[in-house]
Amino acid sequence: MATSQISIASNSISRFTNFASKPTSASNLFSIRPAIPRISTTRSLSVNSVANNQKQIVKDPISEEEDASSDSVASFTPDAASIAASIKYHAEFTPSFSPEGFDSPKAYFATAESVRDALIINWNATYDYYEKINVKQAYYLSMEFLQGRALLNAIGNLELSGPYAEALTRLGHDLENVAREEPDAALGNGGLGRLASCFLDSLATLNYPAWGYGIRYKYGLFKQTITKDGQEEVAENWLEMGNPWEIVRNDISYPVKFYGKVVSGSDGKKHWIGGEDIMAVAYDVPIPGYKTKTTINLRLWSTKVSPQEFDLSAYNAGEHSKAYEAHTNAEKICYVLYPGDESREGKILRLKQQYTLCSASLQDIIGRFERRSGRLVNWNEFPEKVAVQMNDTHPTLCIPELMRILIDVMGMSWKEAWDITQRTVAYTNHTVLPEALEKWNFELMQTLLPRHVEIIETIDKELIDTIVSECGTEDLDLLQKKLQEMRILDNFEFPASVMELFLKEEESSAVDSDFENEIKNEGDGIIDQVDETSTKEDESVNTEEEEEEEEEEEEETEEKVIKPKRSELLKPNPKLPAVVRMANLCVVGGRAVNGVAEIHSEIVKQEVFNEFYKLWPKKFQNKTNGVTPRRWIRFCNPELSKIITKWTGTDDWVLDTEKLAELRKFADNEDLQTEWRAAKRNNKLKVASLIKEKTGYVVSPDAMFDIQVKRIHEYKRQLLNTMGIVYRYKKMKEMSAEERKAKFVPRVCIFGGKAFATYVQAKRIVKFITDVGATINHDAEIGNLLKVVFIPDYNVSVAEALIPASELSQHISTAGMEASGTSNMKFSMNGCVLIGTLDGANVEIREEVGEENFFLFGARAHEIADLRKERAEGKFVPDPRFEEVKTYVRSGAFGPYNYGELMGSLEGNEGFGRADYFLVGKDFPSYIECQEEVDEAYRDQKRWTRMSILNTAGSFKFSSDRTIREYAKDIWNIRPVELPGK
């Protein structure tokens, strides 16, 4: 087995793909030119106070000349004066703006660069120490990291919010106003990316050695605008002014190859040659922990090609597009998150993104492992030093890529490489939706990644052998079922050895059939002889019963002829493409598979991957999601945080959320309830201002704030919510002013979320919500009794405002379809009462906060299949109130837009886009009756406040700190590493 070390010198030749690469040197991992000039040739950092020209020397925490006992992170807490001086310094000497003036955007950049100085000291120390002790690390690979704004989070974690606020006041600015200048990083879209960011926060806070790896998207998903036509998409401009939090590592770049061909060399190895070569360049973002010096890293990859790829002769000849074609092809990989994949080009671009993430990250991880190992690399120790977590199926190519590097570059045998891979990589499943379990066209993948397809084919062949060995060949029906469900390659030829098993069965059946026919013919002869002795009258008689029996026998014979042979069923369908089932590859190649909520993990085991679960039950785990209490209570809801600290007697709850349970003792205390309601109302006032700013609508802070914010999707059922609002509105219109005031509690119904650009039905739902809002909000007769607001371009910053102000939050997905959800946890933490189905983490939230503090409705997960079957059989009878709403919508009450397609999707018994697959009509009666219970509860503000307090008190389980501890213990096998400090 090869043990030679990959060169770590800059500009060295990489052996990962046998073409040029620029991996980094160890000493340069986090070494950058500091904002304040150095005054020494040693590794100390000097901080120059512009205000008074004083110099403070911060001793470097790690020095090779010192022994381990002297390793430490310098303890230096800046005051407002030194922070103000640092901000002024960056405004002058690290300029992103012209020297004139010092307005808010410029103040933001200078402030962020000042904070980054503090982070870099901890950042360098963290990884210097990890390098020194060669600790095992977890590497979290995700296509999304939805970070949100970094400034307030960073200074909060550094415990410098007060000094920074004072420093900016001295400079003529307000911290909150300056923080608003920061755009949200457009690196994600929904819960997947937000979860990943929460995990990084918890990893740093709990001192776990870890990295995040992702893609540096130039435009993110898109910026959503709402017009009279509904949702429109424009390119996100988050990088337009630059990003002060990132540091480009031009010395850290890795080659990534596409296309080409695979040849066998004289050395016996496979070589992937030719094709299209690009470079992945590292951009690093520091992730600070709370009340700790530990600062971990999020490494984002951007793509480019070398200047030599620019065709100067073509450019001079006027063929400009041809001249920079290679640059365009490379750069567009990182333009957009989830490019539309309706076209072949879109599919190729998505696959390129996924492979870029996997290849660059693994090269980086392996290079670090080799560097830390020294002269002699023991590859058997790789899984003891490295844990790779795939966040959903997007990073699945980690499996064949790691195999390719270990076999083709490191010279390992298949067995050695497969053992290492299976002990290194783990997979988190985030969905039960079939369309979200990625399947890649085999031919497309073979064209783009020919060597990886060879490896996947071998893995698939070994899997088939394992299934046959474990299942046996006695029950071929069962074997066929397992093979068709579990194979990685779908609609693909089976190996000859497998086909022979079924052909032998058919041959045996044919022999048996011939033998039976012979016996039958002999018997017929005997019968004929007997018949000859019969009377002529009997010969002429042919009863109706005998004729019917003969007809049935003929039909059975016809059926037997028509029924296809099993071997035919196993052959690929030439009308359908062969595909690679990425989720199956994850399960086969990973050491662990986890769902993200208890109910979801059971569905994963019993339905999605049941055959795999029966084969490898120990692989499957549950890791219920969590969210960071720092960002999602402590920083976004400071008023509530102060109340929690006051009544629990400590602020330890920020790190130990189990202390939130102490609030249960005071849930009926009138003083606490008064303070609680006051904090909620102040947050509602802020949201009322936000709504006015974003939409122009004026809403009353005295109304209930009813919020549903999440990705727009049919299974999340924003349509159910909106139809419930329409029913409410119609009933109001049928009543007198006195009646409706007595019947209904005033509500502001708030929506937010993006519909994917090519998801037509989701965009119709957005249009429907905005049309309903436009009609209701301008109805003077209804006034403040009901308002409907769609906040455009929903993101983390909007969530940080909405969630603290929420009173009712809707988590109403069709049962069994939401893996977990994380927004439900954030709402509950902030004292919001949930209305929802028994789906995802709702199940566990309801258990923790108390059934009486959760509004439950709708069908249960185990009922869904039978309900859909009932619908297909034409047995479903819709509730009259549901039909009433559909008729009202079609009447044109909400404008001239034709909602026939949208309403039609809720009708019929079968067919694509029909038959109400997500059971809106089935759950509608239960939903509106539950909403009546909500109104009743809200009228009793003492009861409602108690419910709110108990939601916060019961949310302690849903901290991402708890989730990360479980991952670290059960999957990654890593332990906290605290930096030595003074």
Side-chain angles (χ1 to χ4, degrees), residues 616-646:
W616 299 308
K618 292 183 180 178
K619 266 195 183 190
F620 289 82
Q621 302 183 15
N622 174 58
K623 296 287 173 280
T624 298
N625 282 344
V627 299
T628 167
R630 270 74 63 185
R631 183 181 286 270
W632 293 110
I633 309 183
R634 178 69 181 83
F635 302 145
C636 78
N637 201 344
E639 287 196 51
L640 184 64
S641 297
K642 290 175 184 175
I643 293 170
I644 294 170
T645 298
K646 173 184 173 182

Short mmCIF file of all heavy atoms in Angstrom, two decimals, residues 616-646:
data_model
loop_
_atom_site.label_atom_id
_atom_site.label_comp_id
_atom_site.label_asym_id
_atom_site.label_seq_id
_atom_site.Cartn_x
_atom_site.Cartn_y
_atom_site.Cartn_z
N TRP A 616 -28.85 -3.97 7.48
CA TRP A 616 -27.85 -3.36 8.38
C TRP A 616 -28.56 -2.50 9.43
O TRP A 616 -28.47 -1.26 9.41
CB TRP A 616 -26.91 -2.46 7.58
CG TRP A 616 -26.11 -3.18 6.52
CD1 TRP A 616 -25.35 -4.29 6.67
CD2 TRP A 616 -26.00 -2.78 5.13
NE1 TRP A 616 -24.75 -4.63 5.48
CE2 TRP A 616 -25.13 -3.73 4.51
CE3 TRP A 616 -26.51 -1.74 4.36
CZ2 TRP A 616 -24.78 -3.65 3.17
CZ3 TRP A 616 -26.18 -1.66 3.02
CH2 TRP A 616 -25.33 -2.62 2.43
N PRO A 617 -29.26 -3.09 10.37
CA PRO A 617 -30.06 -2.29 11.33
C PRO A 617 -29.21 -1.35 12.18
O PRO A 617 -29.68 -0.29 12.58
CB PRO A 617 -30.75 -3.36 12.18
CG PRO A 617 -29.95 -4.60 12.00
CD PRO A 617 -29.41 -4.54 10.62
N LYS A 618 -27.96 -1.72 12.46
CA LYS A 618 -27.13 -0.90 13.33
C LYS A 618 -26.66 0.39 12.66
O LYS A 618 -26.17 1.30 13.33
CB LYS A 618 -25.92 -1.70 13.81
CG LYS A 618 -26.30 -2.83 14.76
CD LYS A 618 -25.07 -3.56 15.28
CE LYS A 618 -25.47 -4.68 16.24
NZ LYS A 618 -24.28 -5.44 16.72
N LYS A 619 -26.79 0.47 11.34
CA LYS A 619 -26.39 1.68 10.63
C LYS A 619 -27.34 2.84 10.91
O LYS A 619 -26.95 4.00 10.79
CB LYS A 619 -26.39 1.44 9.12
CG LYS A 619 -25.07 1.04 8.53
CD LYS A 619 -25.10 1.18 7.00
CE LYS A 619 -23.79 0.69 6.41
NZ LYS A 619 -23.68 1.02 4.98
N PHE A 620 -28.57 2.56 11.25
CA PHE A 620 -29.62 3.58 11.25
C PHE A 620 -29.79 4.19 12.64
O PHE A 620 -29.88 3.48 13.64
CB PHE A 620 -30.93 2.98 10.74
CG PHE A 620 -30.90 2.69 9.27
CD1 PHE A 620 -30.31 1.52 8.80
CD2 PHE A 620 -31.40 3.59 8.36
CE1 PHE A 620 -30.26 1.24 7.45
CE2 PHE A 620 -31.36 3.33 7.00
CZ PHE A 620 -30.78 2.15 6.54
N GLN A 621 -29.85 5.53 12.67
CA GLN A 621 -29.97 6.27 13.92
C GLN A 621 -30.94 7.43 13.75
O GLN A 621 -31.32 7.79 12.63
CB GLN A 621 -28.61 6.85 14.33
CG GLN A 621 -27.50 5.83 14.50
CD GLN A 621 -26.21 6.50 14.98
OE1 GLN A 621 -26.20 7.63 15.45
NE2 GLN A 621 -25.10 5.78 14.85
N ASN A 622 -31.32 8.00 14.87
CA ASN A 622 -32.07 9.26 14.86
C ASN A 622 -31.23 10.34 15.51
O ASN A 622 -30.59 10.13 16.54
CB ASN A 622 -33.39 9.14 15.62
CG ASN A 622 -34.09 10.49 15.73
OD1 ASN A 622 -34.38 11.11 14.70
ND2 ASN A 622 -34.32 10.97 16.93
N LYS A 623 -31.24 11.51 14.90
CA LYS A 623 -30.62 12.70 15.48
C LYS A 623 -31.59 13.86 15.28
O LYS A 623 -31.56 14.56 14.26
CB LYS A 623 -29.27 13.00 14.80
CG LYS A 623 -28.22 11.91 15.01
CD LYS A 623 -27.70 11.93 16.44
CE LYS A 623 -26.79 10.75 16.72
NZ LYS A 623 -27.55 9.50 17.00
N THR A 624 -32.50 14.03 16.23
CA THR A 624 -33.49 15.10 16.11
C THR A 624 -32.78 16.44 15.99
O THR A 624 -31.87 16.76 16.77
CB THR A 624 -34.43 15.11 17.32
OG1 THR A 624 -35.15 13.87 17.36
CG2 THR A 624 -35.42 16.27 17.24
N ASN A 625 -33.20 17.23 15.02
CA ASN A 625 -32.57 18.52 14.76
C ASN A 625 -32.65 19.45 15.97
O ASN A 625 -33.44 19.24 16.90
CB ASN A 625 -33.25 19.21 13.58
CG ASN A 625 -32.79 18.65 12.25
OD1 ASN A 625 -31.77 17.97 12.16
ND2 ASN A 625 -33.55 18.92 11.20
N GLY A 626 -31.85 20.50 15.90
CA GLY A 626 -31.89 21.53 16.93
C GLY A 626 -31.46 22.86 16.31
O GLY A 626 -30.98 22.92 15.17
N VAL A 627 -31.65 23.93 17.05
CA VAL A 627 -31.24 25.27 16.60
C VAL A 627 -30.41 25.92 17.70
O VAL A 627 -30.55 25.58 18.88
CB VAL A 627 -32.45 26.15 16.24
CG1 VAL A 627 -33.24 25.52 15.11
CG2 VAL A 627 -33.35 26.39 17.44
N THR A 628 -29.55 26.84 17.31
CA THR A 628 -28.70 27.47 18.31
C THR A 628 -29.47 28.48 19.14
O THR A 628 -30.08 29.41 18.60
CB THR A 628 -27.48 28.16 17.66
OG1 THR A 628 -26.86 29.01 18.63
CG2 THR A 628 -27.86 28.99 16.46
N PRO A 629 -29.45 28.34 20.45
CA PRO A 629 -30.16 29.30 21.31
C PRO A 629 -29.46 30.65 21.36
O PRO A 629 -30.04 31.61 21.86
CB PRO A 629 -30.15 28.62 22.68
CG PRO A 629 -28.96 27.71 22.65
CD PRO A 629 -28.83 27.24 21.23
N ARG A 630 -28.22 30.71 20.86
CA ARG A 630 -27.55 32.03 20.84
C ARG A 630 -28.26 32.94 19.83
O ARG A 630 -28.82 33.97 20.20
CB ARG A 630 -26.06 31.88 20.47
CG ARG A 630 -25.14 31.68 21.64
CD ARG A 630 -25.24 30.28 22.23
NE ARG A 630 -24.83 29.25 21.28
CZ ARG A 630 -24.91 27.95 21.51
NH1 ARG A 630 -25.43 27.50 22.64
NH2 ARG A 630 -24.51 27.07 20.60
N ARG A 631 -28.25 32.54 18.58
CA ARG A 631 -28.87 33.40 17.56
C ARG A 631 -30.38 33.47 17.74
O ARG A 631 -30.98 34.53 17.57
CB ARG A 631 -28.53 32.91 16.15
CG ARG A 631 -29.10 33.82 15.05
CD ARG A 631 -28.79 33.31 13.66
NE ARG A 631 -27.40 33.49 13.28
CZ ARG A 631 -26.93 34.58 12.66
NH1 ARG A 631 -27.74 35.59 12.40
NH2 ARG A 631 -25.66 34.66 12.33
N TRP A 632 -31.00 32.32 18.10
CA TRP A 632 -32.45 32.26 18.00
C TRP A 632 -33.20 32.60 19.28
O TRP A 632 -34.43 32.58 19.29
CB TRP A 632 -32.87 30.91 17.44
CG TRP A 632 -32.43 30.81 16.01
CD1 TRP A 632 -31.46 30.01 15.50
CD2 TRP A 632 -32.91 31.60 14.92
NE1 TRP A 632 -31.31 30.24 14.16
CE2 TRP A 632 -32.19 31.22 13.76
CE3 TRP A 632 -33.88 32.61 14.80
CZ2 TRP A 632 -32.41 31.80 12.52
CZ3 TRP A 632 -34.09 33.18 13.55
CH2 TRP A 632 -33.37 32.78 12.44
N ILE A 633 -32.50 32.90 20.37
CA ILE A 633 -33.16 33.59 21.50
C ILE A 633 -32.27 34.74 21.97
O ILE A 633 -32.67 35.90 21.95
CB ILE A 633 -33.44 32.68 22.72
CG1 ILE A 633 -34.15 31.40 22.34
CG2 ILE A 633 -34.34 33.42 23.72
CD1 ILE A 633 -34.51 30.52 23.52
N ARG A 634 -31.08 34.38 22.36
CA ARG A 634 -30.20 35.34 23.04
C ARG A 634 -29.99 36.62 22.25
O ARG A 634 -30.10 37.72 22.79
CB ARG A 634 -28.85 34.66 23.32
CG ARG A 634 -27.81 35.56 23.98
CD ARG A 634 -28.20 35.90 25.42
NE ARG A 634 -27.20 36.77 26.02
CZ ARG A 634 -27.17 38.10 25.86
NH1 ARG A 634 -28.11 38.69 25.14
NH2 ARG A 634 -26.23 38.81 26.44
N PHE A 635 -29.71 36.50 20.94
CA PHE A 635 -29.38 37.69 20.16
C PHE A 635 -30.58 38.28 19.43
O PHE A 635 -30.69 39.51 19.31
CB PHE A 635 -28.26 37.39 19.16
CG PHE A 635 -27.00 36.87 19.79
CD1 PHE A 635 -26.22 35.93 19.13
CD2 PHE A 635 -26.58 37.31 21.04
CE1 PHE A 635 -25.05 35.44 19.71
CE2 PHE A 635 -25.42 36.83 21.62
CZ PHE A 635 -24.65 35.89 20.96
N CYS A 636 -31.49 37.45 18.96
CA CYS A 636 -32.61 37.99 18.18
C CYS A 636 -33.75 38.47 19.07
O CYS A 636 -34.62 39.22 18.63
CB CYS A 636 -33.12 36.96 17.17
SG CYS A 636 -34.16 35.65 17.85
N ASN A 637 -33.76 38.05 20.34
CA ASN A 637 -34.85 38.41 21.24
C ASN A 637 -34.28 38.84 22.60
O ASN A 637 -34.49 38.16 23.62
CB ASN A 637 -35.80 37.21 21.41
CG ASN A 637 -37.17 37.63 21.89
OD1 ASN A 637 -37.38 38.74 22.38
ND2 ASN A 637 -38.13 36.72 21.79
N PRO A 638 -33.56 39.97 22.63
CA PRO A 638 -32.89 40.37 23.87
C PRO A 638 -33.84 40.65 25.03
O PRO A 638 -33.51 40.38 26.18
CB PRO A 638 -32.11 41.63 23.47
CG PRO A 638 -32.74 42.11 22.20
CD PRO A 638 -33.26 40.90 21.51
N GLU A 639 -35.04 41.17 24.73
CA GLU A 639 -35.99 41.45 25.82
C GLU A 639 -36.44 40.17 26.50
O GLU A 639 -36.46 40.08 27.73
CB GLU A 639 -37.20 42.22 25.28
CG GLU A 639 -36.89 43.67 24.93
CD GLU A 639 -38.16 44.48 24.78
OE1 GLU A 639 -39.02 44.42 25.70
OE2 GLU A 639 -38.32 45.16 23.75
N LEU A 640 -36.78 39.16 25.71
CA LEU A 640 -37.18 37.89 26.30
C LEU A 640 -36.00 37.25 27.03
O LEU A 640 -36.17 36.64 28.09
CB LEU A 640 -37.71 36.95 25.21
CG LEU A 640 -38.26 35.62 25.72
CD1 LEU A 640 -39.48 35.81 26.59
CD2 LEU A 640 -38.60 34.69 24.54
N SER A 641 -34.82 37.38 26.47
CA SER A 641 -33.62 36.80 27.10
C SER A 641 -33.41 37.35 28.50
O SER A 641 -33.07 36.61 29.44
CB SER A 641 -32.39 37.08 26.23
OG SER A 641 -32.51 36.46 24.98
N LYS A 642 -33.60 38.65 28.66
CA LYS A 642 -33.44 39.27 29.98
C LYS A 642 -34.46 38.73 30.97
O LYS A 642 -34.15 38.49 32.14
CB LYS A 642 -33.57 40.79 29.85
CG LYS A 642 -32.40 41.46 29.14
CD LYS A 642 -32.66 42.94 28.93
CE LYS A 642 -31.54 43.59 28.12
NZ LYS A 642 -31.84 45.01 27.81
N ILE A 643 -35.68 38.53 30.47
CA ILE A 643 -36.74 38.00 31.34
C ILE A 643 -36.39 36.57 31.77
O ILE A 643 -36.54 36.20 32.95
CB ILE A 643 -38.09 38.04 30.61
CG1 ILE A 643 -38.53 39.49 30.39
CG2 ILE A 643 -39.16 37.27 31.40
CD1 ILE A 643 -39.73 39.65 29.48
N ILE A 644 -35.93 35.76 30.82
CA ILE A 644 -35.56 34.37 31.14
C ILE A 644 -34.44 34.35 32.17
O ILE A 644 -34.49 33.59 33.16
CB ILE A 644 -35.14 33.61 29.87
CG1 ILE A 644 -36.34 33.46 28.92
CG2 ILE A 644 -34.57 32.23 30.22
CD1 ILE A 644 -35.98 32.93 27.54
N THR A 645 -33.43 35.18 31.96
CA THR A 645 -32.30 35.24 32.90
C THR A 645 -32.77 35.67 34.29
O THR A 645 -32.37 35.10 35.32
CB THR A 645 -31.22 36.19 32.38
OG1 THR A 645 -30.72 35.69 31.13
CG2 THR A 645 -30.08 36.34 33.36
N LYS A 646 -33.65 36.65 34.31
CA LYS A 646 -34.16 37.15 35.60
C LYS A 646 -34.91 36.06 36.36
O LYS A 646 -34.67 35.84 37.56
CB LYS A 646 -35.08 38.35 35.36
CG LYS A 646 -35.80 38.83 36.61
CD LYS A 646 -36.77 39.97 36.29
CE LYS A 646 -37.62 40.33 37.50
NZ LYS A 646 -38.62 41.40 37.19
#
